[in-house]
Amino acid sequence: MSRKLDEFGTTVSERLQRFTERVDELQRMNSGMSSTSFGKSLKFHFKFDNGINYVVLTASLVSGVLMLWNPAGWVFLAINAVTALVGVVKAVWGWFDDDFKKDEQRKAVSKNLNQLKDSLTGEFKKASDAAVKGITQKTLQLLTEVDASVEQTKTISSELKHLVVKLQHLSKSIS
């Protein structure tokens, strides 16, 4: 009987040790979420435009000039000229009107901040999903081990109760 009690004590202490190790591992995983690569792939692009897209403007004017012989090309050239004129007016207006320039900068910053927010949200979701998955697996593993330990304890307890009854009968028969 003392051998069984020693085995029981050894088993319980081993399981408690494993349980402690698993809990420590869960805590490391939880604290490891803050030290992941969260935010390392973020890129800040704050670019303030003057309002003129030179590549598009040049391509439009060249294509309009190449189609100069065709009346449809004249319409295309007129549309490109109006677009270029609007771009130039916006750029010149931005030079002289600080409010217009600030408004354009506000729009650019707002757009960049929305992109940054979306990027941060995606990064956080990836990091939290990975951490939750790991923690859930470890928690289920711990729960299985605790359930097995509880069942073993129940079995040993019932055996001990049975032994107590036998010992009581033996004690009564001796006395």
Side-chain angles (χ1 to χ4, degrees), residues 6-128:
D6 289 340
E7 286 177 16
F8 174 71
T10 305
T11 304
V12 168
S13 66
E14 287 173 357
R15 291 204 182 201
L16 283 174
Q17 179 64 29
R18 281 197 309 261
F19 180 76
T20 305
E21 289 170 1
R22 300 279 198 236
V23 168
D24 290 342
E25 189 174 341
L26 281 172
Q27 288 176 338
R28 280 193 308 276
M29 288 177 72
N30 190 26
S31 67
M33 184 177 160
S34 63
S35 64
T36 60
S37 63
F38 180 71
K40 289 185 180 176
S41 66
L42 296 178
K43 295 177 181 147
F44 297 97
H45 297 288
F46 288 101
K47 180 177 146 186
F48 300 108
D49 199 4
N50 64 359
I52 300 175
N53 190 344
Y54 294 106
V55 174
V56 173
L57 178 63
T58 305
S60 298
L61 289 175
V62 168
S63 64
V65 168
L66 290 176
M67 293 180 57
L68 194 60
W69 60 271
N70 186 352
W74 301 340
V75 172
F76 190 64
L77 189 58
I79 291 171
N80 288 335
V82 169
T83 303
L85 185 62
V86 168
V88 168
V89 168
K90 269 179 78 173
V92 170
W93 190 358
W95 275 77
F96 295 111
D97 188 6
D98 285 340
D99 290 336
F100 179 77
K101 187 186 283 186
K102 288 177 187 174
D103 188 48
E104 291 296 314
Q105 288 174 346
R106 247 188 310 266
K107 288 178 187 176
V109 168
S110 177
K111 178 183 172 190
N112 287 323
L113 286 176
N114 282 335
Q115 289 174 347
L116 180 63
K117 179 193 73 153
D118 293 342
S119 178
L120 279 172
T121 302
E123 290 287 326
F124 181 75
K125 183 154 178 54
K126 285 181 200 173
S128 63

